[in-house]
Amino acid sequence: MADIGLLPAFLQSWCTRNSIVFQSRNTAHYHLQSNSLCCSYATKISRVNYGFGFWRTQSLVTPSLTKPGTRSFAKNRNRKVLVFQCSQLESKNYHIIVLGGGVAAGYAAFSYVSMGGESNQLAILSDEPVPPYERPSLSKGFMDPDIRMEPSEFYTCAAVAQFPQDEKWYEEHGVDLYLNTRAQQVDISSKKIICENGYIFYYEKLIIATGSRARRYSPSQVPFSNLDGILYLRSIEDANVVRNWIDELKGQGKAVVIGGGFLAMEIASALVVNNIHVTMAYPGDYLLNKLFPAQVAKQYEQVFRDKGVEMLNNCFVENFYERNDGFASAVRFQDGRKVFGDFFIVCIGAVPNIELFQGQLQLQNGGIEVNHRLQCVGHSDIYAVGDIASFPLKAYSNRPVRIEHVDHSRKSAASAILDIFHGNPYGNTKHRDDPRLSVFRAAIDTTYNYIPFYYSRMFELCWNFYGDNSGTTFVWGNVPSKMVTLWIDWSNKIVGILLEGCSPFEHRVAHQIAVHRPKVDTSELQRIAQVSQVFEHLLNLLPEKMEKIRTIQEENVNK
Ligand code: FAD
C-alpha cells in the first residue's frame, strides 16, 4: 500500500493535481510540500472502509493521527479541518493476533496453517509494506550482484518450506494480513489494539512479535549523525537505500561500515562483492568479540584484509562531518582518527520494540519475560516470540536469555502456535511428532527446549554456532578452509561448538553435541592435532543413537 496508485481513482487525480507526495515510510501520511496541506488516510482503502483528513498547518509537521471519522483533527487553531471523505472504521475480532510482521509472524502463520487452523481467525498486524520475509536475506541474496533477489523470492517461509508466502498465499489460507498497519496502543486489560490507521482489533490470544529495530546514534550524543548518507540496515526499505547507493557509485565508491558484529561483517562483505571499497571500524579489539575467541576472530579478520577491507579496531565514534551538499563526508573517532567515505553503514546492534508493553508486561533482558511455554508472566493468553522474548534456556540451567537470531524466531513462533492449539502441546506426543512440523522438531519437547543456533554468511564463508559460548575454548584448523572451536564449561562439559567449512554430517554431530553436552577429558582434546580427528572423538562421546547417524554417513559414502 505504499503507492498512490492504490487510492481510489477520484483521489489519485486529486493527489496528482496537488502534487501530493509519498512522504514517509508510514503510508498514512501524505504531504503537499508547497503549502503544508496534509492528508492522512486509513489503509485497506480498496477492501473496506476508509477515513481521510485534510488540513492546513502553518508549519509542516507530521500530524498526530486521530481516529478516522473524527472531524476535529485540529485542536490547534492553525489547522483548518477539511474532511474530504470519512467513514467510521469497524473494529475486528480475532482468535489470535500476531503483532509484528517479521520472521516470527511468517512462521506463526505457516505453523497455524500447517496445523489446520480455522480461516480468518488469525491476523497479522505489520507496519511493513510487504508480507513477512526472511530478514537475513537483506544482507545476503538481496545485496548479491549476481542474483539480486527480490523480496518476493524470500518471503517466509522460503528458508525451510521452499515457498515464499505472498499476499495471495495469506488470502488463500485464510490468514488476514494487515500491512502498513502499525499498532499505536495495546491495552492488555481489554485485549484491544489500536492502530495508527484507525483500525481497532480485539484478540483472544496475542502473540507479540515486534522484533527489534536498528540501534541508532542520536545527534545529541554523536554530532551530525543524522546526515544523509548515514545508513542502517534492518528493513526492506533500509536495504533498498543501501542498494541504491551501491548502484549510484557503480563500483567506484568508498563505504565505512561501523560495527564489528555479524551484521557488520555481512554487509562489509556484500559491499566488497559489489566492488565498493570498505573500511570496517569496530569498538572491540577484534571482530565479533561477543562470540568468537580472539584466535578465531583474527582468522576472519585476515580474510577481510585479503579481500581488501581496511580493518580498524578500538574505534568509538565521536562525530561525523558534513559535506557542502548535506551528506556525511567523514567520521571521526574518539582517538582522533578520521575516515572519509561516500556513505556510512552503522551496525551497532538492535533495540527490542517493547514500548507498547512497558508498564503492562514484565520485562527482562531488555525484552518481555516469558515462561517455558513462551507465555508472558501473569498473562497466559499473551505470548512473546523471536527477538523480543526473554525466555528460560532450559538446556542451560533455565538461564533467562534473549536471542536475536533467526532460528529462534522461527521455532519460538511455531511453538507458541502449538501451545495455543493444544494447551501444552509439549507433553502431547501426538502433536510433538506431527510430521508437518518436523522443521521445528528441535524446539519441541516437554517445554520450549531451545538449543541456540546462529549462523552467518560472508564471502564464501559460512559459520554456524550451536549451544553456549561460555568456558574455555579449544580451536582446530583454520578459516577459510575448515575450523572447529569447542567451548568447555567448568564441569568439563562441551557446551558450545563453532564450525566453518564442515560437512552436513559434521553439522549434525555438532548439533547433537550441543543437545547432549557430553563430558570430555580436556587432556585428550589437547592431544588431537587434526581438525578431521575432532569429529571422530566427538562421535565417541555421544550416546548410542548417534550410531544411526554414523551408519547413514557410511552408507552415503559407500554409494
Ligand atoms: P523482526 O523480523 O524484526 O520482525 C518484527 C516485525 O514487527 C517487523 O516487521 C516490524 O516492522 C514489526 N513491528 C514492530 N513494531 C510494530 C508495531 N507497533 N506495529 C506493527 N508492526 C510492528 N540472524 C541469524 O541468525 N543469521 C543471520 O544471518 C541473520 N542475518 C540478518 C541480517 C539482517 C540484515 C538483519 C536485520 C537481521 C539478521 N538476523 C540474522 C537476525 C534475524 O533476522 C532476527 O533475529 C529475526 O528477524 C527476528 O525475528 P522477529 O520476527 O522477532 O523480528
Side-chain angles (χ1 to χ4, degrees):
M1 195 76 196
D3 192 325
I4 220 162
L6 293 166
L7 292 171
F10 70 99
L11 269 178
Q12 282 183 32
S13 60
W14 187 89
C15 289
T16 313
R17 269 202 317 281
N18 290 282
S19 53
I20 290 197
V21 291
F22 180 52
Q23 188 263 341
S24 71
R25 65 184 291 246
N26 186 339
T27 52
H29 301 168
Y30 282 89
H31 287 243
L32 175 68
Q33 283 165 326
S34 52
N35 68 358
S36 313
L37 182 69
C38 306
C39 156
S40 88
Y41 69 92
T43 51
K44 290 254 170 190
I45 284 166
S46 50
R47 263 213 231 159
V48 219
N49 301 314
Y50 54 97
F52 273 89
F54 293 83
W55 63 99
R56 286 177 187 281
T57 59
Q58 277 197 335
S59 61
L60 185 62
V61 289
T62 305
S64 61
L65 292 180
T66 53
K67 211 168 112 186
T70 309
R71 285 180 176 244
S72 55
F73 281 101
K75 288 211 172 82
N76 179 338
R77 62 194 154 80
N78 294 325
R79 295 179 187 167
K80 288 197 184 106
V81 182
L82 301 166
V83 178
F84 188 78
Q85 168 88 40
C86 215
S87 68
Q88 187 70 46
L89 292 172
E90 287 167 24
S91 61
K92 304 235 173 202
N93 296 293
Y94 284 97
H95 178 219
I96 305 173
I97 286 187
V98 181
L99 181 50
V103 174
Y107 280 78
F110 174 77
S111 310
Y112 181 82
V113 170
S114 304
M115 294 297 285
E118 245 180 86
S119 281
N120 309 110
Q121 286 298 309
L122 181 137
I124 293 177
L125 313 186
S126 171
D127 63 358
E128 296 209 58
V130 294
Y133 52 89
E134 305 281 1
R135 204 166 294 282
S137 297
L138 294 180
S139 49
K140 303 176 186 70
F142 189 77
M143 298 289 170
D144 187 323
D146 296 328
I147 49 176
R148 284 226 152 195
M149 284 175 90
E150 288 307 321
S152 57
E153 296 173 71
F154 55 85
Y155 291 155
T156 59
C157 298
V160 301
Q162 305 299 315
F163 62 88
Q165 298 161 189
D166 56 10
E167 279 180 88
K168 198 160 157 247
W169 181 92
Y170 286 92
E171 226 170 288
E172 283 173 359
H173 290 85
V175 173
D176 290 357
L177 177 63
Y178 293 85
L179 299 178
N180 297 303
T181 300
R182 181 168 177 76
Q184 195 174 36
Q185 202 188 323
V186 180
D187 183 355
I188 297 294
S189 57
S190 56
K191 298 189 156 191
K192 177 179 173 186
I193 301 173
I194 302 173
C195 296
E196 278 187 2
N197 57 14
Y199 270 52
I200 296 173
F201 296 89
Y202 290 93
Y203 58 81
E204 285 166 45
K205 308 271 184 187
L206 175 64
I207 299 180
I208 304 170
T210 46
S212 324
R213 57 184 182 272
R215 185 180 298 283
R216 291 171 172 261
Y217 290 127
S218 94
S220 60
Q221 284 159 349
V222 176
F224 300 107
S225 55
N226 54 349
L227 291 173
D228 284 334
I230 300 175
L231 318 179
Y232 296 84
L233 182 60
R234 181 76 201 179
S235 65
I236 190 70
E237 281 150 339
D238 298 337
N240 266 318
V241 175
V242 174
R243 215 160 76 165
N244 289 344
W245 270 96
I246 290 172
D247 292 345
E248 185 84 16
L249 294 171
K250 295 194 178 66
Q252 310 208 336
K254 179 172 177 198
V256 182
V257 175
I258 296 166
F262 78 89
L263 186 53
M265 291 163 78
E266 288 193 2
I267 194 68
S269 102
L271 293 171
V272 169
V273 174
N274 279 283
N275 290 322
I276 304 282
H277 182 269
V278 179
T279 300
M280 274 190 92
Y282 43 93
D285 283 338
Y286 50 88
L287 284 178
L288 241 170
N289 58 357
K290 285 194 187 137
L291 178 62
F292 288 177
Q295 179 188 352
V296 173
K298 287 184 190 300
Q299 295 178 12
Y300 282 91
E301 282 181 3
Q302 193 53 47
V303 173
F304 277 78
R305 275 195 202 94
D306 293 345
K307 299 276 182 187
V309 178
E310 199 181 336
M311 310 293 283
L312 303 177
N313 63 359
N314 298 313
C315 291
F316 299 90
V317 172
E318 177 85 13
N319 64 280
F320 288 88
Y321 292 89
E322 187 175 5
R323 240 160 45 186
N324 47 18
D325 59 1
F327 283 82
S329 63
V331 58
R332 192 168 72 102
F333 302 105
Q334 283 173 8
D335 60 7
R337 282 177 290 178
K338 188 172 171 182
V339 182
F340 288 87
D342 295 301
F343 66 103
F344 301 78
I345 305 188
V346 181
C347 306
I348 51 171
V351 182
N353 293 316
I354 53 164
E355 289 74 5
L356 290 170
F357 307 98
Q358 263 161 346
Q360 299 195 79
L361 295 177
Q362 206 156 303
L363 305 181
Q364 187 180 59
N365 286 327
I368 295 170
E369 182 178 355
V370 294
N371 63 17
H372 283 109
R373 292 170 62 183
L374 301 166
Q375 295 162 316
C376 297
V377 177
H379 298 271
S380 56
D381 287 339
I382 305 179
Y383 294 74
V385 297
D387 280 10
I388 197 93
S390 174
F391 65 99
L393 197 55
K394 192 179 169 197
Y396 296 91
S397 320
N398 289 318
R399 194 178 78 226
V401 293
R402 209 166 56 70
I403 294 184
E404 291 178 349
H405 286 278
V406 73
D407 182 63
H408 157 67
S409 68
R410 292 171 182 149
K411 287 174 178 161
S412 58
S415 287
I417 291 289
L418 268 165
D419 198 273
I420 291 173
F421 259 91
H422 305 293
N424 181 353
Y426 306 104
N428 179 338
T429 41
K430 181 168 157 239
H431 295 294
R432 197 173 61 203
D433 297 335
D434 189 325
R436 290 169 299 185
L437 290 164
S438 59
V439 287
F440 306 118
R441 176 85 67 239
I444 300 168
D445 189 3
T446 50
T447 50
Y448 183 58
N449 185 11
Y450 183 64
I451 301 296
F453 168 66
Y454 322 139
Y455 77 93
S456 180
R457 289 207 300 267
M458 64 221 66
F459 303 118
E460 50 290 329
L461 304 175
C462 175
W463 59 255
N464 291 258
F465 174 80
Y466 303 83
D468 191 28
N469 64 326
S470 55
T472 317
T473 51
F474 288 77
V475 182
W476 295 268
N478 269 298
V479 175
S481 48
K482 184 169 180 172
M483 178 272 303
V484 179
T485 302
L486 296 182
W487 277 260
I488 317 292
D489 77 359
W490 56 271
S491 62
N492 283 346
K493 278 185 178 171
I494 307 176
V495 290
I497 177 161
L498 173 72
L499 309 184
E500 175 69 65
C502 293
S503 69
F505 171 72
E506 289 162 341
H507 280 270
R508 291 182 71 177
V509 175
H511 177 252
Q512 289 301 312
I513 288 288
V515 171
H516 295 284
R517 297 178 296 286
K519 277 201 172 195
V520 68
D521 181 342
T522 50
S523 58
E524 278 182 28
L525 286 184
Q526 275 158 352
R527 282 198 288 274
I528 299 175
Q530 302 291 325
V531 64
S532 55
Q533 296 163 348
V534 177
F535 287 97
E536 205 45 46
H537 191 79
L538 294 179
L539 214 46
N540 292 331
L541 299 174
L542 286 170
E544 277 172 352
K545 62 181 171 181
M546 279 309 289
E547 275 307 315
K548 211 169 144 194
I549 297 182
R550 187 205 288 274
T551 317
I552 295 169
Q553 188 210 21
E554 280 164 4
E555 277 168 12
N556 286 342
V557 170
N558 293 338
K559 268 184 193 163

